Amino acid sequence: MDVLVEFFSRPEFNNPFTAIWFLLQNGGWFVLGVALIKGLWELWYFEIKNFYAASCEYVLLGINVPKATEQSPKAVENIFAHLWGLYKSPGTLYEQYWEGENQQNMAIEIVSRGGVIQFYAFIESRYRAVLEAAVFAQYPDAEIFEAEDYTKEYPLYWPDGKHKMYGTELAMTKPDSYPIKTHVAFFDQVSGLFKDPLASLLEFMAATPTDQEIWVQIPICPINDEWHKDSMALVQKLIGARGTGKKKKGLIGSMLSPLFDIFFGVFHGLFGGMPIEGGTGAEKNADPPTMMLHLSPGEKAVIEQVQLKASKPGFLTKIRIMGIGPKEAFNKKRFIAGMAGAFRQFSTVDLNGFKSDKLTKTKAHYVFIKWRESRLQYKLMRAYKGRSNKKGGKNYIMNIEELATLWHFPMIDTKTPMISKTASKQGEPPTDLPMAPHRASVSARKTPPAALADEQLPDNIPFL
C-alpha cells in the first residue's frame, strides 16, 4: 500500500493529461492497443454476422390443421426433432470469421386476428422443404401455404394514434435445466384422456373481438448438447453427490494439492493412531456417495424430470406475446389476465414456469412514462417483426417435448371452432378408375391433354 501511495504521489500525476502521457510512455500504449484491437475485432465480427443474416431469405408459412386429427402433441414433438437436424456445427475459420456464417433461428407462431386462429412457421426459404416434409410426415392432410407477413400492417414506432399495443416476453421462474409441465402430465391417469393445456389459450384467442389481435411467437434455434452438462451438474447437486459442495481450487491450490496429499499421507503413516483434524480417510469414505436414500418422493421426482429434459434435443428460445386493438376498445387488463392464466398451466412450484419479464413488458411507472413506454413498444415490435432470439430479454433452453407442449395442433376433442383448418381431405384418385389403353400409355408419358383432342375417348373417362 505504501508503494502505491508513493507511486501516485509523483509529480506526473498532479495533472490528468500528464498522468495519461506518463502511463502511455511506460507501457500503457500496449494495454490501449490490445483493447482497441479487441474492440475492432468484436465490431467486425458483429457486422459480418449481421451481413450474413441479412443475406438469408425467409418465408412465412401458414399451416392449416386437419379437422379431425387424433394425433397427440407427440407428433409435433417428432416435427421439432426433425427440425433440430438443421443445427449447423461451426464451419471453417474462413466461414466463421470472414463470411460470418452462423446459426439462424426459426420461429413458430399462433395468431388470432379477430378471433380466427392461424398457426405459422417462419423459416429460411432453402429449408422450406424440410419443414413441409416434417409436417406432412405426421399430418398428411395438413395444408401449408406461403402467407403474407401480418406484422407489416402495424408500424414499428408506437404509439401510432389509432391503436393500443401491450406485450411482453416471458421469462422462466427457475434455471432452464428445470422443465416446465409438459403434455405428458396432462394425460388423465384414470380415463386415459388427454386434457389439452393449449385448449384454454386457443379458446381465449378465439374469443378475441373482431377488431383486435393476439400474437404469440416462439423463436427457436437448434443448439448442440453442451447444455446437458449443466443439467447433469444440477442433478449431482440435488442428489447431494460427494464433492459437489466443494469449491473449485485455483491455480496455486491445484499445484500445491499433490504436495499436501503426500505430506498428510506421510504424517498419517507415522502417527496412524493420532486423530487428524477432519477425520481419517476411512471415516471420510464411510459417508454415503449421495443422499438419494434420504430424499423425499417429491425431490426424487424433480431429479427425474431434470434428467428427462436433458435426454432430448434442445432449442435456444423465448416467448413473446402481444395484444393489439383500437385505441378506444382495447382492454389491456383482459389481455393480461387471459394470457397469464393460459400460460400458468405450464408452471409448477417444484419445477419451472413462466413469468413476465419486467425488462421487456411495455409498461413504465413514475418518470418519463410515455417516452419509456414508447421505447419499450418499439423494441418489442422490432424483435417480433424480425423473429429474433437475440434482441429482447434473456434466452433459455427448451427441449422438443416442451416446445410441442406450447405449440401443437389441437386434437379432435378440442372444441375451438375458429381455427383455420383444411377444407377437405386430399388424396389420390381411386385405383379402379377405368382408363382406355391408349390413354394409359399417354398418361404414363405425361402428355398434355391438348395433344389428345383429336382422339376418340370413352364417355366414362373423366377429362381433367
Side-chain angles (χ1 to χ4, degrees):
M1 182 63 67
D2 294 336
V3 175
L4 291 176
V5 172
E6 182 180 355
F7 178 78
F8 286 106
S9 299
R10 300 166 64 98
E12 289 85 354
F13 291 95
N14 294 336
N15 185 292
F17 298 103
T18 58
I20 294 173
W21 180 248
F22 176 80
L23 293 174
L24 289 175
Q25 284 183 316
N26 292 271
W29 61 270
F30 179 77
V31 177
L32 184 62
V34 170
L36 180 62
I37 293 173
K38 187 176 186 304
L40 292 174
W41 172 258
E42 293 291 339
L43 182 61
W44 160 261
Y45 192 42
F46 177 78
E47 286 296 325
I48 60 172
K49 286 198 298 183
N50 285 344
F51 181 79
Y52 176 83
S55 67
C56 298
E57 295 183 0
Y58 290 87
V59 60
L60 181 66
L61 300 176
I63 304 176
N64 286 341
V65 300
K67 286 185 176 180
T69 178
E70 296 182 356
Q71 294 273 40
S72 71
K74 186 68 177 179
V76 182
E77 189 175 329
N78 294 333
I79 293 176
F80 287 121
H82 196 152
L83 293 178
W84 187 87
L86 298 179
Y87 170 73
K88 184 187 302 179
S89 58
T92 63
L93 295 177
Y94 176 82
E95 292 172 338
Q96 291 184 68
Y97 300 110
W98 183 256
E99 295 183 345
E101 184 175 316
N102 60 93
Q103 182 76 51
Q104 298 300 301
N105 64 280
M106 302 164 276
I108 50 176
E109 302 170 0
I110 306 176
V111 176
S112 172
R113 309 191 72 187
V116 179
I117 300 173
Q118 180 70 61
F119 286 79
Y120 290 103
F122 182 79
I123 194 170
E124 284 188 69
S125 300
R126 56 179 172 172
Y127 297 134
R128 174 176 178 172
V130 177
L131 174 65
E132 291 177 339
V135 173
F136 288 139
Q138 306 298 326
Y139 299 90
D141 299 329
E143 291 180 353
I144 302 178
F145 59 94
E146 187 169 343
E148 288 290 331
D149 189 355
Y150 56 92
T151 66
K152 292 182 178 179
E153 298 183 13
Y154 294 95
L156 187 62
Y157 294 92
W158 291 77
D160 67 341
K162 299 179 182 179
H163 302 89
K164 272 188 177 181
M165 183 267 276
Y166 182 84
T168 184
E169 292 184 1
L170 299 183
M172 282 191 159
T173 56
K174 289 186 178 181
D176 50 14
S177 293
Y178 291 91
I180 62 171
K181 188 177 180 181
T182 64
H183 62 84
V184 178
F186 289 92
F187 278 92
D188 192 297
Q189 299 296 328
V190 178
S191 64
L193 297 177
F194 176 61
K195 306 298 183 181
D196 193 347
L198 206 60
S200 61
L201 174 63
L202 297 177
E203 192 65 38
F204 176 72
M205 296 178 73
T208 305
T210 56
D211 55 353
Q212 300 181 28
E213 301 184 12
I214 295 178
W215 304 350
V216 178
Q217 182 186 88
I218 309 177
I220 58 175
C221 182
I223 57 175
N224 59 26
D225 296 333
E226 290 294 320
W227 65 278
H228 294 177
K229 295 180 180 179
D230 294 334
S231 298
M232 293 302 102
L234 176 61
V235 169
Q236 293 296 310
K237 179 180 178 182
L238 292 175
I239 66 176
R242 184 186 299 167
T244 54
K246 294 181 179 179
K247 294 182 179 180
K248 292 184 178 180
K249 298 178 181 179
L251 178 61
I252 298 177
S254 300
M255 295 172 61
L256 296 180
S257 180
L259 297 177
F260 284 120
D261 291 341
I262 295 174
F263 172 78
F264 284 114
V266 173
F267 184 84
H268 184 62
L270 294 175
F271 308 97
M274 184 178 295
I276 301 176
E277 184 179 355
T280 63
E283 291 171 346
K284 290 182 179 179
N285 291 333
D287 296 334
T290 69
M291 299 299 293
M292 279 295 292
L293 294 176
H294 305 282
L295 297 179
S296 67
E299 291 171 327
K300 292 180 180 179
V302 170
I303 294 170
E304 180 183 2
Q305 290 300 316
V306 172
Q307 288 181 309
L308 286 175
K309 175 172 181 174
S311 67
K312 297 185 178 182
F315 288 78
L316 193 65
T317 182
K318 62 176 60 176
I319 301 174
R320 295 190 184 97
I321 57 175
M322 293 178 61
I324 300 177
K327 190 174 182 180
E328 300 79 12
F330 182 70
N331 190 334
K332 185 175 70 173
K333 292 183 178 180
R334 174 186 177 276
F335 169 77
I336 294 174
M339 299 303 286
F343 280 95
R344 180 64 183 172
Q345 299 176 96
F346 308 108
S347 302
T348 57
V349 176
D350 53 348
L351 292 175
N352 218 332
F354 296 112
K355 62 180 181 180
S356 178
D357 188 342
K358 295 181 180 180
L359 298 178
T360 60
K361 66 178 180 180
T362 57
K363 180 65 177 177
H365 299 281
Y366 307 119
V367 295
F368 306 114
I369 295 177
K370 291 185 178 180
W371 179 83
R372 289 165 59 203
E373 287 186 350
S374 175
R375 184 66 179 171
L376 290 168
Q377 288 173 332
Y378 161 74
K379 288 183 177 180
L380 187 63
M381 181 62 77
R382 181 185 62 173
Y384 195 106
K385 284 174 172 283
R387 275 80 181 184
S388 173
N389 67 348
K390 298 180 177 65
K391 296 181 176 66
K394 183 181 178 181
N395 295 317
Y396 36 85
I397 297 172
M398 302 183 76
N399 69 3
I400 56 176
E401 183 178 311
E402 294 174 297
L403 290 176
T405 302
L406 298 172
W407 190 90
H408 62 263
F409 306 129
M411 297 174 63
I412 189 172
D413 54 351
T414 302
K415 306 299 182 182
T416 306
M418 297 300 287
I419 299 178
S420 296
K421 299 180 179 180
T422 54
S424 60
K425 182 176 181 179
Q426 298 179 357
E428 297 294 330
T431 56
D432 58 348
L433 187 69
M435 182 174 289
H438 65 279
R439 178 66 172 176
S441 62
V442 172
S443 298
R445 298 194 305 270
K446 299 182 179 179
T447 306
L452 302 176
D454 301 333
E455 301 186 22
Q456 184 72 26
L457 298 177
D459 296 335
N460 64 339
I461 297 299
F463 192 77
L464 302 179

